[in-house]
Amino acid sequence: MASHNDKGSGSGSGFGTAAGIGLALGAAALGTFLAARPKREWQGDDAPGFTARRSFGKYDVVGRTVTIRKPRPELFAFWRDFQNLPKVMENVDSIRTSGDGRSIWTIRAPAGRTVEVETEIAREIDGELIAWRSVEGSEIDTEGRVTFEDAPGERGTRVGLIIAYDPPGGEIGRLIAKAFMREPAMQARHDLKRLKMLMETGEIATSARRKDETRAAQQHSGQETT
Amino acid sequence: MRALTWHGTHDVRVDTVDDPEIVNPRDAIIKITSTAICGSDLHLYDGVIPGCKPGDILGHEFMGEVVETGPKSTLQKGQRVVVPFTISCGGCFHCKVEQFSACENSNPAEKQDMSAVLYGQPMAGLFGYSHLTGGYSGGQAEYVRVPFSDIGPIVVPDHLDDDKVLFLSDILPTGWMAAENADIQPDDTVAVWGCGPVGLFAIQSALAMGAAKVIAIDHFPHRLELARSLGAETINFRESHVLDALMEMSGGIGVDAVIDAVGMEAHGFAFDNMMEVAKQKIGIGADRAHVLRQAIMAVRFGGKVSIPGVYGGLTDKFPTGALMEKGIQIKSGQTHVQKYTKPLLEKIENGSFDTTFLISHRLPLEDAARGYKCFKEEQDSWTKVILKPGMAA
Ligand SMILES: NC(=O)c1ccc[n+]([C@@H]2O[C@H](COP(=O)([O-])OP(=O)(O)OC[C@H]3O[C@@H](n4cnc5c(N)ncnc54)[C@H](O)[C@@H]3O)[C@@H](O)[C@H]2O)c1
Ligand SMILES: [Zn+2]
Ligand SMILES: [Zn+2]
């Protein structure tokens, strides 16, 4: 995953989440940002910004790409209906959407608690991109985007997910760190893998021998899974 | 139900555990009639493959009767099926190009990280083969849950008994793919290390593909005898210098193709091997690559190297010079079983392949722990063990 070796060097830069995402997305944007810092000149490459060794101010950024053997419109439609996402996002209990493009994400936290994040659609390009961000006053300051791009030949669609967030402090922060953001990169990776499984095979792989041993079942009964 | 479970190095037991259920729509439940112990199981038994947990059910070579089907399974109750050890979804890129053992969707998402760190990308799911490959319950049991049952299992005709078709689950396709990966041409001299079941089937396959000469290497007289009965010449590595012998037996050129059907637990007292035995004992994830080194030295310039033998970690003192300077080709991998089951079933049916000659023991499932111990410690005479849940103990 993205390694943030130089993390902390750019704290207090005052960039908003939107800027964080912009930086994460494009090497060019990242270059501009880093050019302001004299340390080392940006050498420029074509790698996704989230694989950069440098940090993005106060925001942590995670990203991941999967290739799914399904047509772009089908995958876009699945994602656009946010209520589908809890099927593959393990820590998201539910997503309620209201007419005005706003959604309330209920995220599981330990001890049966939940955290709510309200987001709005920030940008949308049909079949290509959906971006969302948390609204003012939300418990977590976060922004995400998913992109859909044709893969070469018969290989389907490349789906890229990027999430930027301001690691929260305080009571909530501790809860969320435990529940959701302990390993956000890992979470994003697993969620995308589950999306791929559901779309390509119609089910999500489990090695459970019995129904009550699946991760989903154990999560609902509050047991720790391995 | 009763099942053979792993509890630690050299500690396997037949326990009573919960029966499996249909969990996903494409699942089926199979009632096992025959299941075998594989050389790969010995790597788990010896504790050299990471990721086993106490209570895990082992076994990846099995067949039986369909007793339950999920709504999306294409199997029917009562059918007799052999199940490939590789779990493959049929819908991902790798399945579409028939690289079934690299299926992207069969290893559960949260289990993929360990092998992704080890190998760069995650492994597919395999039955009964540690949590590295998904932690799926294996088939050395009375029943097993088979995911993606519409893709893997092959229905076998009633007139072929279990002994004849069971090995379609792994070692017969593995021996065949090992030979295929050696890209055998009619004039070729082929050397095969290991006269276990995989090596023996590789020998049989190489000869069927028209190899001019096959040389089998092992140190167990009975296993070498089985190789000779198939038409191979033999080298006993305790009696002869393997590299010298191979140079001479290939007319001073080096062998055209080499097949490593031994893997990470090579026997023998060669210096490199003893160093690596020590490393495995103290728990460093080291492979004993003695055979692979020797095979790369033995192959001629421009020759072909096939590696069906299992390796899991890292190794030292690898002959990178020979590897590059000789311009060789290497092919390896867990077997793409689903690609080979149909054509090999035909070879069994029309009598061109005998699969039963290497079976030495048939035991009730209850005796499975003894089966492991003897298959490990008395390899010469215990060449292949079949466990039968239905057999009276
Ligand atoms: N690629 C796959 O999909 C696949 C499938 C099945 C098995 N395997 C692997 O194939 C290998 C063989 O399996 P098997 O069931 O035949 O095992 P096995 O343990 O029965 O046979 C291994 C043989 O190798 C011989 N051997 C050991 N050291 C040797 C040396 N230095 N030189 C020559 N021979 C030597 C042993 O004496 C033994 O006869 C194992 O590593 C197993 O994990 C791979
Ligand atoms: Zn096997
Ligand atoms: Zn697949």
Side-chain angles (χ1 to χ4, degrees):
Chain A
M1 257 337 297
S3 57
H4 298 283
N5 293 343
D6 340 357
K7 184 151 40 192
S9 57
S11 55
S13 66
F15 274 90
T17 324
I21 296 244
L23 295 169
L25 261 181
L30 184 64
T32 321
F33 169 51
L34 291 166
R37 297 191 293 158
K39 261 179 143 182
R40 181 154 53 99
E41 226 171 278
W42 175 246
Q43 301 293 316
D45 64 16
D46 297 319
F50 57 81
T51 63
R53 293 175 177 279
R54 306 183 184 202
S55 63
F56 302 100
K58 67 171 179 155
Y59 289 94
D60 277 358
V61 178
V62 300
R64 193 74 178 182
T65 309
V66 281
T67 303
I68 304 180
R69 266 184 78 91
K70 287 287 167 188
R72 203 150 46 85
E74 185 181 333
L75 297 175
F76 181 90
F78 181 89
W79 197 291
R80 184 62 186 81
D81 185 358
F82 276 26
Q83 296 176 54
N84 278 327
L85 298 181
K87 290 180 198 163
V88 295
M89 293 186 169
E90 205 171 55
N91 285 320
V92 179
D93 194 55
S94 65
I95 301 179
R96 282 168 292 139
T97 51
S98 53
D100 55 1
R102 289 199 166 194
S103 309
I104 296 173
W105 304 51
T106 306
I107 297 165
R108 287 196 197 96
R113 297 189 55 177
T114 55
V115 175
E116 293 201 336
V117 183
E118 187 169 0
T119 61
E120 60 189 7
I121 300 275
R123 202 168 158 224
E124 183 177 336
I125 305 173
D126 190 37
E128 287 178 27
L129 178 150
I130 306 166
W132 60 94
R133 67 174 160 244
S134 52
V135 299
E136 203 73 33
S138 184
E139 283 176 331
I140 313 174
D141 177 8
T142 180
E143 183 161 334
R145 79 166 55 173
V146 58
T147 53
F148 304 85
E149 186 193 326
D150 289 335
E154 305 276 280
R155 293 197 181 192
T157 305
R158 286 183 181 158
V159 180
L161 173 67
I162 295 173
I163 297 172
Y165 60 95
D166 181 6
E171 153 84 11
I172 292 272
R174 275 199 308 280
L175 271 181
I176 295 172
K178 258 181 146 174
F180 185 53
M181 295 186 166
R182 175 176 47 190
E183 253 291 19
M186 187 178 84
Q187 199 62 51
R189 184 162 80 232
H190 294 177
D191 289 349
L192 281 185
K193 284 281 162 77
R194 279 185 279 266
L195 171 71
K196 175 178 165 70
M197 286 171 179
L198 187 62
M199 302 311 291
E200 287 184 342
T201 76
E203 56 189 52
I204 292 170
T206 171
S207 53
R209 192 159 77 240
R210 302 172 62 82
K211 285 191 213 99
D212 59 6
E213 290 170 358
T214 62
R215 285 171 69 84
Q218 303 219 332
Q219 221 169 25
H220 281 115
S221 71
Q223 275 173 272
E224 260 301 308
T225 52
T226 43
Chain B
M1 66 169 182
R2 301 288 284 167
L4 186 281
T5 54
W6 185 94
H7 289 270
T9 301
H10 300 154
D11 182 3
V12 292
R13 306 171 200 163
V14 177
D15 287 339
T16 300
V17 301
D18 288 336
D19 286 1
E21 297 174 335
I22 299 285
V23 178
N24 271 339
R26 294 167 65 183
D27 290 356
I29 305 292
I30 311 293
K31 181 176 196 282
I32 306 290
T33 54
S34 295
T35 172
I37 305 176
C38 178
S40 299
D41 292 327
L42 292 182
H43 303 320
L44 304 176
Y45 187 64
D46 292 337
V48 296
I49 294 269
C52 276
K53 293 181 187 167
D56 284 351
I57 302 174
L58 304 187
H60 59 268
E61 303 183 359
F62 55 88
M63 63 176 295
E65 184 196 327
V66 179
V67 290
E68 230 186 304
T69 54
K72 295 258 175 66
S73 172
T74 51
L75 294 175
Q76 284 148 28
K77 280 184 202 170
Q79 280 178 327
R80 250 178 105 225
V81 292
V82 179
V83 181
F85 77 94
T86 42
I87 306 174
S88 311
C89 78
C92 71
F93 164 74
H94 284 106
C95 284
K96 290 294 177 197
V97 298
E98 296 193 309
Q99 292 174 348
F100 292 102
S101 73
C103 175
E104 298 151 59
N105 291 322
S106 57
N107 197 347
E110 64 283 356
K111 307 259 180 178
Q112 294 187 5
D113 295 331
M114 201 190 334
S115 57
V117 168
L118 277 170
Y119 309 135
Q121 295 92 38
M123 288 187 81
L126 305 178
F127 287 103
Y129 213 69
S130 90
H131 290 258
L132 211 57
T133 60
Y136 285 93
S137 296
Q140 289 165 359
E142 289 182 276
Y143 297 91
V144 66
R145 170 189 162 234
V146 175
F148 305 127
S149 65
D150 52 325
I151 294 296
I154 179 165
V155 178
V156 288
D158 285 340
H159 68 271
L160 298 172
D161 33 289
D162 284 17
D163 286 3
K164 286 197 166 158
V165 290
L166 171 61
F167 300 143
L168 286 169
S169 58
D170 177 353
I171 50 172
L172 187 64
T174 296
W176 182 265
M177 186 169 115
E180 204 176 76
N181 278 349
D183 190 16
I184 288 163
Q185 304 299 311
D187 298 341
D188 279 358
T189 297
V190 182
V192 179
W193 278 256
C195 297
V198 170
L200 291 169
F201 281 144
I203 292 166
Q204 193 181 35
S205 302
L207 288 166
M209 290 174 192
K213 180 173 3 193
V214 176
I215 304 166
I217 306 154
D218 205 302
H219 60 133
F220 290 125
H222 173 63
R223 289 187 170 210
L224 285 167
E225 197 47 55
L226 287 175
R228 197 174 288 119
S229 74
L230 295 170
E233 297 178 9
T234 61
I235 298 174
N236 183 328
F237 68 79
R238 297 210 189 268
E239 302 290 341
S240 308
H241 291 293
V242 175
L243 284 179
D244 292 347
L246 285 174
M247 272 305 276
E248 300 310 315
M249 292 163 89
S250 62
I253 307 175
V255 283
D256 299 289
V258 292
I259 299 176
D260 172 357
V262 176
M264 65 195 291
E265 292 191 82
H267 306 162
F269 298 102
F271 178 70
D272 61 336
N273 204 42
M274 291 320 292
M275 291 291 291
E276 287 164 350
V277 168
K279 285 184 199 163
Q280 280 181 345
K281 282 237 162 77
I282 59 172
I284 299 174
D287 290 332
R288 272 142 68 182
H290 171 68
V291 165
L292 187 53
R293 288 188 196 98
Q294 198 168 59
I296 288 173
M297 296 306 287
V299 75
R300 69 165 168 84
F301 274 67
K304 300 154 288 189
V305 179
S306 162
I307 314 172
V310 164
Y311 293 89
L314 304 164
T315 196
D316 298 325
K317 305 286 178 291
F318 199 70
T320 42
L323 179 68
M324 185 274 158
E325 299 294 352
K326 294 173 86 166
I328 55 187
Q329 158 199 306
I330 298 188
K331 288 191 180 173
S332 62
Q334 297 285 349
T335 306
H336 307 304
V337 180
Q338 288 87 339
K339 179 176 174 187
Y340 301 102
T341 44
K342 266 211 194 81
L344 289 173
L345 177 61
E346 274 166 33
K347 286 195 192 299
I348 293 168
E349 251 192 309
N350 69 26
S352 57
F353 261 19
D354 172 29
T355 57
T356 58
F357 71 94
L358 45 66
I359 302 170
S360 58
H361 294 80
R362 295 172 187 80
L363 305 177
L365 176 66
E366 290 300 319
D367 276 357
R370 184 167 72 95
Y372 269 80
K373 192 169 161 52
C374 296
F375 183 49
K376 155 89 185 154
E377 292 172 3
E378 296 168 44
Q379 286 217 311
D380 191 33
S381 50
W382 288 65
T383 47
K384 190 75 184 176
V385 184
I386 297 183
L387 304 170
K388 299 235 169 214
M391 190 189 268

